[in-house]
Amino acid sequence: MKTVGSLLNLEVHKLKSNAFKGGEWKPNEREFQQLKFLLIKRNNLKHWRANNIHFPRLQWLVLKKCKCLEEISSGFGEIPTFQLIELHKCGDSVVTSAQKIEEEQVNFGNDAFQVHIHGKYGDF
């Protein structure tokens, strides 16, 4: 991840099918500084230790079938460019954390921010 995260012009990053080794990801500061779109799909990621410092320009986050993930860090609610969280078959705690981030964004005046939920893990 350090190599990919240090790419200066990286705006789109897609992590699919067990892209992580282990259940935790904590990006380093100064990585992913230009990232606008992040997809995480079918991973065993349980703890994601990231916030607005790690993804300062993120606009769109998509999580698909992240059944182990416990939450999205509340620090994402402080990203001024954030526009959308899209969840596909994620657990209740991830949905709850996304809804809290939506509240934070609205409180910061970002009325256009949206959370789209497409089923929850266990519903299918």
Side-chain angles (χ1 to χ4, degrees):
M1 284 297 174
K2 287 181 182 184
T3 303
V4 173
S6 64
L7 295 172
L8 297 177
N9 296 317
L10 183 68
E11 292 185 0
V12 175
H13 193 36
K14 298 177 183 180
L15 300 164
K16 298 179 182 181
S17 299
N18 300 312
F20 295 96
K21 290 188 179 186
E24 182 173 271
W25 178 28
K26 183 177 182 193
N28 295 316
E29 288 187 39
R30 297 186 191 100
E31 291 180 345
F32 304 105
Q33 293 298 296
Q34 299 300 321
L35 196 68
K36 294 179 181 179
F37 176 90
L38 178 60
L39 166 71
I40 301 176
K41 180 179 179 182
R42 290 187 185 189
N43 281 280
N44 293 326
L45 183 63
K46 185 174 182 178
H47 302 287
W48 185 17
R49 314 261 189 237
N51 59 39
N52 59 319
I53 294 170
H54 301 107
F55 301 97
R57 290 180 176 78
L58 192 66
Q59 295 175 4
W60 192 355
L61 173 64
V62 179
L63 301 175
K64 291 186 177 187
K65 298 180 182 179
C66 295
K67 64 182 181 178
C68 298
L69 187 63
E70 291 184 355
E71 69 177 355
I72 304 167
S73 171
S74 62
F76 279 77
E78 299 172 13
I79 300 173
T81 57
F82 215 3
Q83 298 174 7
L84 176 67
I85 296 176
E86 191 174 323
L87 304 175
H88 298 261
K89 299 181 185 177
C90 293
D92 288 336
S93 61
V94 173
V95 170
T96 300
S97 63
Q99 291 168 334
K100 286 180 184 176
I101 291 168
E102 182 177 29
E103 288 176 25
E104 285 184 54
Q105 286 285 328
V106 170
N107 289 339
F108 284 133
N110 185 0
D111 295 329
F113 185 84
Q114 298 179 14
V115 173
H116 295 173
I117 301 166
H118 305 279
K120 294 181 191 175
Y121 181 73
D123 289 348
F124 299 89

